[in-house]
Amino acid sequence: MNVESTLAELVRIDTRSAASNAGLINYVLPRVEAAGLRARILRYTDERGVEKSQLVAVSQKDFEEGDEVALALVGHTDTVPFDPAWTEALTLTERDGKLYGRGACDTKGFIAAALAAIEEADVRRLSRPLALVLTADEEVGCLGAKRLAESKPFSARAAVVGEPTSLRPMRAGKGYCLADVTVRGREGHSAYPHLGASAITRAARLVGRIEKIAEGLKRDAHEAFDPPHTTVNVGVISGGTAKNVIAGRCDFTLEWRPVPGQSPEIVADLVRREIEALRAEDEGFECELRVTRLDAGVETRADAPLVRALEEETGNAAGTVAFGTEAPQLAELGADAVVFGPGDIRVAHRTGEFVPAAELRDCAQILRRTVERFCGPEHQ
Ligand SMILES: [Zn+2]
């Protein structure tokens, strides 16, 4: 089956993160087995009680739990939701050399290319183990990959993490961290400000200090990125109940994207220090900061074999990505991780996302040659 028809089959299976992805895993399973891989399905139940499946398929017959593979091709099976008005979301549609459908770009295009590469490579002749790894729940926080990083069903020397990069190898990525902040005040009639304490005014003081923290983080530069430093965002804020009531509570979200090499806790620690300082000035200053996500940045050396190989195969110099990927979890599994795949991240998550058909076919060929370089017989 060619790579476009494989993609059409994958797009047809609805794998929005909220639904089970078992249909897609069950579709891929007989194909990878027929290609000569030995597959294991790792199941778990997500926090809403939906069953999720992850596939780890390895070329080596005597492969044991925790053994190292020479190369892992890693794709996430889940997609973001789609607008019901997009009636062709699950029907791959070609127009002007572009293949449209939910997940075509992010990241079923990569999975279709990886399957084609595995079916074309003569897996039984490979001398070093190759793995195909299909994960769940990437779009909702890389939850499936985090389970793999914890349970370690395999380790990997190198890993291609499928994401739309327009076939440019991406060797580093910023981390992704979130916290919820609650500032408390004392409610009262707004005509008598001295009888209350506004949580909104207190939160505003703290947000002003967060802005200074963000300014200070610019000094810790990592030139491979644009912008070349850790960024901070207060994306949502809400507080108060009425125009004539002194606000008793104000909540905001704090998001930061740390550059690799920097502790992911850095912003939370700096903000906590400012909370203490504000408390010293205003003894009623009551504030809680709850960290809900703490993913560190990741960086693979510019001279790592997989970075070099993909640069040679594509003719594209390695770059960096600003969006979250499963690369940190693959790094935890020991891999030099490179983010790579067909399609452009700027059209992902949109109604009408697409992958260029030519890039999809090129990706399958590049992955096949990469498999042969990393896992093939020594003399070809
Ligand atoms: Zn993705």
Side-chain angles (χ1 to χ4, degrees), residues 32 37 55-58 69-76 107 110-119 121 123 126 129-135 148 154 156 158-163 306 310 326 330 335-336 338 340 363-364 366-372 374-375:
V32 296
L37 300 185
L55 177 102
V56 178
V58 182
V69 299
L71 180 68
L73 305 179
V74 185
H76 66 84
T107 275
F110 175 85
I111 296 175
L115 268 177
I118 288 167
E119 286 173 344
V123 163
L126 298 180
L130 163 72
L132 175 70
V133 179
L134 299 183
T135 65
L148 294 180
F154 65 94
V160 183
V161 176
E163 285 293 343
L306 184 58
L310 287 171
E326 294 170 321
L330 270 296
D336 284 342
V338 179
F340 177 79
C363 184
I366 292 162
L367 291 178
R368 180 183 55 75
R369 292 196 297 269
T370 306
V371 164
E372 283 161 5
F374 281 76
C375 308

Side-chain angles (χ1 to χ4, degrees), residues 143-200:
L143 304 180
K146 285 176 183 171
R147 282 173 184 270
L148 294 180
E150 210 155 276
S151 64
K152 299 196 174 5
F154 65 94
S155 67
R157 193 168 302 169
V160 183
V161 176
E163 285 293 343
T165 68
S166 303
L167 300 185
R168 181 174 179 197
M170 300 297 197
R171 65 173 185 86
K174 286 184 180 177
Y176 192 77
C177 307
L178 287 171
D180 291 324
V181 181
T182 301
V183 181
R184 289 179 202 281
R186 207 167 53 254
E187 284 199 331
H189 195 296
S190 61
Y192 306 99
H194 58 287
L195 298 180
S198 168
I200 290 177

Side-chain angles (χ1 to χ4, degrees), residues 183-205 239-241 244-250 281-286:
V183 181
R184 289 179 202 281
R186 207 167 53 254
E187 284 199 331
H189 195 296
S190 61
Y192 306 99
H194 58 287
L195 298 180
S198 168
I200 290 177
T201 309
R202 285 175 171 170
R205 267 185 261 149
T241 52
N244 53 357
V245 175
I246 298 166
R249 174 175 175 151
C250 182
E281 293 167 15
D282 166 9
E283 64 174 38
F285 192 95
E286 206 188 304

Side-chain angles (χ1 to χ4, degrees), residues 127-142:
S127 59
R128 291 174 298 282
L130 163 72
L132 175 70
V133 179
L134 299 183
T135 65
D137 288 330
E138 190 271 350
E139 298 289 1
V140 289
C142 300

